[in-house]
Amino acid sequence: MTLLPPVAKKQPTVHAYHSVPDEYHWLKDMSKTGKRQDIMEYITAENAYAKQQFAPNSGLADSIYKEFLAKIEETDQQVPYFKENYWYYTRTVEGEQYPIYCRRFETLEAPEQEYLNPNLWKEYDFIAVGGLSVSPSGNLLAYTLDTSGAEKYTIFFKNLVTGELLLDLITESSPTVEWGNNDDTVYYMSQDDLFRADKLYLHTIGQDKSSDVLLFHNSDEKFDGGFHKSGSSRYLLVEVSSPQTTESHYIDLDVNATEVKCFWPREHKHEYSIEHQGDYFLIVTNGGGQFLNGKFQRTRIENTARDQWEDVLTYNPYHQI
């Protein structure tokens, strides 16, 4: 039976801020639980129609796919990097879908340890590894996993000595997870109904998620959140950003693992990012639009006020930082 292209029904929705009717607004489902049947029926019809239209060219598509595949080095290895006594890298194997996460102790001649291999998880139809973080001792692994394709991540914890999973399990997380400066605490961000990373939590290994400590909440829906450890591992750097504006916060893991400090308050169209080195925070800033290619500055860690930022390099409008 020849399928006709499905036609989405029109349900006018008026957005007051523009007064523009949106006849397909009903297809936008931001719910984190369940799936609307009317939307799923329409998507199913779209998929069936697309499959039928492509069917006559399935042989050509397969031929092109094989040609692409022939030009890819399926068995390959990432350049290793050294961190806290281990060389870390990923490698791929021909015929396997996902990269294998490996490490070697102290030297590249040491025996290889596969500390995470998603190809072994046959129970899942879909896998997306978000982020990985190895604890300071090197004995524990925290990783985030999405098994639905909905960008809902769960944090798992693995003992790299025994290979066993810990009982700790954190659901509804953003893709990123980071350890504190010990093997007892990890940081993660939850997601709101818009899948926006909005709240930063501190989790203690061995305790229930209900006892996790809320450290930071970005309530402005125009700003998304994210975080990572500084290259020195001393600071946890938290950033909230909109398309034109950023604001950074930081936690000194060596002093107070729960105190979040604002580096410099957000200013419209001011974008900046920070790193740490020695007695200074390093900054790349656009100066609120003055330095479109980025200006490289620094400030002492005890005073991050903007009038204390000093140039590391003279701004060059022809060189991008």
Side-chain angles (χ1 to χ4, degrees):
M1 182 181 69
T2 301
L3 296 176
L4 297 176
V7 179
K9 59 185 177 181
K10 297 181 179 181
Q11 293 183 358
T13 299
V14 177
H15 298 288
Y17 48 86
H18 283 311
S19 296
V20 176
D22 182 356
E23 296 174 329
Y24 302 105
H25 183 80
W26 67 275
L27 284 168
K28 183 177 182 179
D29 185 5
M30 300 303 292
S31 172
K32 297 180 74 174
T33 59
K35 298 176 180 179
R36 277 179 38 195
Q37 188 62 31
D38 56 343
I39 294 179
M40 293 308 299
E41 288 175 357
Y42 179 74
I43 292 175
T44 300
E46 286 277 15
N47 288 339
Y49 176 74
K51 184 176 181 180
Q52 184 186 72
Q53 295 302 304
F54 278 103
N57 294 315
S58 60
L60 176 61
D62 185 60
S63 176
I64 293 174
Y65 170 73
K66 290 178 179 178
E67 183 176 346
F68 271 115
L69 204 61
K71 299 178 184 298
I72 297 174
E73 192 69 44
E74 289 191 78
T75 300
D76 201 3
Q77 179 177 305
Q78 178 197 51
V79 177
Y81 66 91
F82 190 76
K83 184 177 181 181
E84 295 173 348
N85 300 321
Y86 286 91
W87 287 95
Y88 288 89
Y89 57 94
T90 61
R91 59 182 178 84
T92 54
V93 176
E94 184 176 356
E96 298 285 12
Q97 188 170 359
Y98 304 103
I100 302 170
Y101 299 85
C102 307
R103 67 179 184 175
R104 297 176 188 265
F105 183 64
E106 292 189 342
T107 71
L108 289 172
E109 287 69 42
E112 180 184 80
Q113 177 189 10
E114 290 185 7
Y115 64 92
L116 194 69
N117 186 351
N119 297 292
L120 301 178
W121 301 334
K122 306 298 183 183
E123 65 271 29
Y124 300 121
D125 293 327
F126 174 88
I127 294 173
V129 177
L132 299 90
S133 181
V134 178
S135 67
S137 71
N139 293 332
L140 298 176
L141 171 70
Y143 62 93
T144 61
L145 186 63
D146 172 17
T147 58
S148 68
E151 298 184 3
K152 300 177 183 178
Y153 289 85
T154 298
I155 305 176
F156 295 85
F157 298 90
K158 182 178 181 180
N159 187 318
L160 296 182
V161 178
T162 65
E164 297 177 343
L165 290 178
L166 276 61
L167 296 178
D168 297 68
L169 200 66
I170 301 173
T171 58
E172 304 294 329
S173 168
S174 72
T176 308
V177 60
E178 289 281 8
W179 291 89
N181 59 2
N182 53 53
D183 283 20
D184 299 322
T185 54
V186 292
Y187 296 86
Y188 69 94
M189 294 189 80
S190 63
Q191 293 177 313
D192 64 10
D193 291 339
L194 300 176
F195 292 85
R196 184 180 61 93
D198 63 337
K199 296 178 181 177
L200 178 71
Y201 287 92
L202 177 67
H203 173 76
T204 300
I205 297 299
Q207 295 187 7
D208 189 76
K209 178 185 175 183
S210 61
S211 63
D212 292 353
V213 181
L214 175 62
L215 303 179
F216 174 79
H217 180 204
N218 169 40
S219 59
D220 190 337
E221 293 186 352
K222 297 188 296 294
F223 285 75
D224 197 3
F227 69 100
H228 63 278
K229 257 187 177 180
S230 64
S232 64
S233 295
R234 175 175 170 177
Y235 292 94
L236 191 78
L237 306 178
V238 184
E239 182 180 90
V240 294
S241 61
S242 71
Q244 293 182 311
T245 306
T246 58
E247 177 183 87
S248 291
H249 302 254
Y250 62 95
I251 298 175
D252 190 336
L253 300 175
D254 290 342
V255 177
N256 187 336
T258 61
E259 183 181 11
V260 181
K261 295 182 179 180
C262 182
F263 188 86
W264 183 251
R266 69 189 68 172
E267 298 170 322
H268 184 53
K269 293 189 177 181
H270 182 203
E271 297 178 285
Y272 71 94
S273 60
I274 62 174
E275 235 319 338
H276 167 248
Q277 184 185 54
D279 296 328
Y280 293 89
F281 280 114
L282 308 179
I283 310 154
V284 175
T285 173
N286 75 344
Q290 291 179 291
F291 314 116
L292 297 181
N293 276 336
K295 192 176 201 181
F296 186 20
Q297 298 187 299
R298 70 177 185 177
T299 187
R300 297 193 67 85
I301 59 176
E302 60 269 15
N303 190 346
T304 63
R306 193 172 174 185
D307 60 7
Q308 298 299 306
W309 300 6
E310 59 184 32
D311 290 356
V312 176
L313 295 176
T314 302
Y315 177 67
N316 187 328
Y318 302 104
H319 293 168
Q320 185 176 31
I321 302 294

